[in-house]
Amino acid sequence: MSGFLLAVRTGFGFLSTIPVGITMEGLDELVKRSYLFVFTGIILGLLIGIFTGIVEYVFPANISAALVIVFIYYLTGLNHLDGLSDFGDGCTAHGSLEKKIKALKDMSLGIGGVAYCVIGLILLYASISSLQQQVYMTGTISSLPQWTILPLSLLVAEVGAKQGMLTIAAFGKSIHEGLGSMVIDTTHGGKYLAGLVMGGIVSVLGLGIIGLIGFVAAILGAFGVLNVSNRHFGGVNGDCIGTANEIARLTSLIAITLVLFAINAGYGGLSWMLL
């Protein structure tokens, strides 16, 4: 198998629960082509979008929102959520930089990690549920049927989540050796730009300007995680990258929801500009 195809396969093994297998050789090939994180996010986002379209048709809104969250973590696994929990423990630890990093790397789960995960899951449910409500009020976007808007929003959010991982890797400084540092040390310049262009094109093709807004919001969310990581830990590690995935997905969904809310409220002629 060529290095590129091995990297593609490993991307699904690393970023999802799809049983394709992971080897060190595959990881080496993947980190050399870290822009493939975004390609993996496109495929995962399409699968999440298809599932969303089905459950939206079959179940009431609140139940379908909960089922979408279940499917997201069934498909992508809990590694990134685990990173958010470790991030929460590190951020809420008191004391020196060394103590915070120790809490970040500690395998045990503390109250800070629990709180961050609970808040993150509540916000994810609230953003999907609120987005459902705004979609029902909006009607169509760029001639897209109403039923496609929520699935495409989930696609944009997942693509943005993976670009968020690239963002914190490209602009962050590694604080210790590990799998995270492998990604951080190799994600620069052209690789970041390749992911940015790929993700931006897919987002625009999906939801037009609104999709681009959601994609940019995901990147800004990742920069927020980077800022917090630098303040608390003096850099980033794999847990911070996983946290960026979770936060970028959230900020993307929230941004799309707020844009639709503004359109439905009739603010500033946004309907004419964005629909």
Side-chain angles (χ1 to χ4, degrees):
M1 182 180 294
S2 70
F4 179 81
L5 291 178
L6 182 58
V8 171
R9 188 182 76 176
T10 304
F12 290 102
F14 183 54
L15 296 173
S16 77
T17 58
I18 298 173
V20 295
I22 304 177
T23 63
M24 282 307 302
E25 180 186 2
L27 286 172
D28 287 337
E29 295 297 333
L30 176 61
V31 298
K32 290 176 186 176
R33 304 169 179 84
S34 53
Y35 58 87
L36 289 175
F37 279 33
V38 177
F39 174 77
T40 306
I42 293 170
I43 304 302
L44 297 178
L46 286 171
L47 294 174
I48 292 168
I50 292 170
F51 179 85
T52 300
I54 294 171
V55 297
E56 275 280 293
Y57 181 76
V58 175
F59 296 99
N62 290 340
I63 295 177
S64 65
L67 290 175
V68 169
I69 294 174
V70 171
F71 186 74
I72 287 173
Y73 289 109
Y74 173 77
L75 182 62
T76 64
L78 299 175
N79 286 338
H80 305 316
L81 196 61
D82 178 67
L84 178 61
S85 71
D86 291 335
F87 186 83
D89 284 337
C91 287
T92 55
H94 296 287
S96 64
L97 181 68
E98 290 73 20
K99 288 183 178 180
K100 285 181 171 290
I101 294 176
K102 183 179 179 180
L104 175 71
K105 297 167 61 179
D106 195 340
M107 297 294 290
S108 60
L109 178 61
I111 187 62
V114 172
Y116 273 48
C117 285
V118 170
I119 293 171
L121 290 171
I122 290 173
L123 286 173
L124 182 57
Y125 174 80
S127 63
I128 295 174
S129 182
S130 297
L131 183 53
Q132 287 174 321
Q133 296 173 11
Q134 297 306 317
V135 167
Y136 295 150
M137 295 173 61
T138 302
T140 61
I141 294 177
S142 300
S143 300
L144 291 171
Q146 185 184 57
W147 66 270
T148 66
I149 299 174
L150 184 63
L152 288 172
S153 297
L154 269 296
L155 166 63
V156 170
E158 202 59 37
V159 172
K162 301 306 177 277
Q163 187 64 34
M165 297 177 75
L166 288 187
T167 298
I168 202 169
F171 295 95
K173 178 184 70 174
S174 178
I175 56 176
H176 63 79
E177 292 186 359
L179 186 55
S181 67
M182 292 172 59
V183 180
I184 294 165
D185 293 341
T186 57
T187 304
H188 301 291
K191 296 173 187 176
Y192 182 77
L193 183 61
L196 187 69
V197 172
M198 191 189 314
I201 290 173
V202 170
S203 298
V204 171
L205 289 176
L207 284 177
I209 296 177
I210 296 176
L212 183 61
I213 291 172
F215 184 67
V216 171
I219 296 171
L220 294 177
F223 273 118
V225 174
L226 177 60
N227 179 58
V228 174
S229 299
N230 287 336
R231 286 193 289 110
H232 284 276
F233 314 121
V236 299
N237 71 347
D239 292 319
C240 302
I241 296 175
T243 299
N245 179 85
E246 299 300 300
I247 299 303
R249 181 191 291 125
L250 265 178
T251 53
S252 179
L253 289 172
I254 290 172
I256 293 172
T257 302
L258 291 177
V259 171
L260 294 184
F261 174 78
I263 291 172
N264 291 330
Y267 292 155
L270 283 175
S271 297
W272 177 83
M273 293 174 59
L274 301 176
L275 293 184

